[in-house]
Amino acid sequence: MSGMDGVPGSGLAKGLAVTLKTMTRRSHTQQYPDVEPDLPPRSRGVIALFEENCTVCMLCARECPDWCIYIDSHKEEVVVPGASRPRQRNVLDRFAIDFSLCMYCGICIEACPFDALYWTPEFEYAEYDIRDLLHEKDTLREWMWTVPAPPAHDPNGEPAKEEATAAKKAATAPPDDVS
């Protein structure tokens, strides 16, 4: 037998052995609606919106490969005392995500420079009609309450950029002369 290892049919016997071993085990069924599932810490459910951080820069909508993010806004003039002319700022009117199109890639969350979008482990948002999977900013804001707290900083890891900069400024600051 050149190129064949073992006895003919040994692969079939191994497969049947695995099947028999699996058949003798008790099945483990999770009683989902009655018992909440144990989700992994970084599980992806839906995307939540922290509306106060959104500057309507449109980066999330432009980077989305599915084009499932819909944003509408208007400009508002803000009068700043002492300024020569009023400034303009964007005001968010509509922010909606169509979860029937979303592929949960997280590109919108990575693209957002202002931390307005977050992953939330919320997964119970099934609908009877696919058209009801278009969720507006009110629903996205409600899901913000389910966003888990960030993990604690690793004491053996590098310090955060903000901490390193503050420590460097404190080390180079001239000592205060108190006489």
Side-chain angles (χ1 to χ4, degrees), residues 20 28 30-32 74 96-98 105 107 117 127 148-149 152:
L20 288 173
H28 176 72
Q30 291 185 341
Q31 304 298 324
Y32 162 61
H74 70 275
I97 299 177
D98 190 350
C105 64
I107 293 175
L117 297 173
E127 299 289 344

Side-chain angles (χ1 to χ4, degrees), residues 5 14-15 32 53 71 88 111 120 126 136 149 153 157-158 161 177:
D5 296 329
K14 287 180 187 177
Y32 162 61
N53 284 359
I71 301 174
Q88 288 189 345
T120 168
E136 299 289 334
H153 184 67
E158 293 181 16
K161 292 178 188 176
D177 267 339

Side-chain angles (χ1 to χ4, degrees), residues 1-10:
M1 296 184 149
S2 64
M4 292 185 87
D5 296 329
V7 183
S10 64

Side-chain angles (χ1 to χ4, degrees), residues 12-164:
L12 179 64
K14 287 180 187 177
L16 287 173
V18 170
T19 303
L20 288 173
K21 188 173 18 171
T22 306
M23 284 176 54
T24 59
R25 286 191 210 142
R26 290 189 60 88
S27 63
H28 176 72
T29 304
Q30 291 185 341
Q31 304 298 324
Y32 162 61
D34 301 325
V35 179
E36 287 291 318
D38 245 355
L39 296 175
R42 295 183 63 190
S43 60
R44 294 180 174 187
V46 291
I47 299 166
L49 171 69
F50 189 54
E51 191 176 343
E52 289 77 17
N53 284 359
C54 183
T55 61
V56 196
C57 65
M58 307 289 279
L59 280 174
C60 56
R62 274 186 267 155
E63 294 296 323
C64 180
D66 291 332
W67 293 92
C68 64
I69 300 174
Y70 308 106
I71 301 174
D72 290 329
S73 67
H74 70 275
K75 292 207 181 283
E76 189 176 85
E77 285 194 350
V78 179
V79 178
V80 179
S84 60
R85 61 185 174 97
R87 295 188 178 158
Q88 288 189 345
R89 72 179 189 100
N90 288 325
V91 177
L92 184 66
D93 293 329
R94 179 181 187 223
F95 193 104
I97 299 177
D98 190 350
F99 287 104
S100 67
L101 297 174
C102 182
M103 64 180 183
Y104 305 92
C105 64
I107 293 175
C108 57
I109 295 170
E110 297 297 322
C112 182
F114 302 105
D115 291 334
L117 297 173
Y118 291 90
W119 279 120
T120 168
E122 181 67 35
F123 64 92
E124 295 174 324
Y125 58 98
E127 299 289 344
Y128 288 109
D129 191 356
I130 195 169
R131 292 172 290 197
D132 294 334
L133 286 172
L134 176 67
H135 293 290
E136 299 289 334
K137 66 181 179 178
D138 298 333
T139 308
L140 301 176
R141 183 184 316 113
E142 286 301 314
W143 283 329
M144 196 62 206
W145 297 110
T146 63
V147 173
H153 184 67
D154 182 8
N156 296 328
E158 293 181 16
K161 292 178 188 176
E162 297 85 0
E163 292 174 350

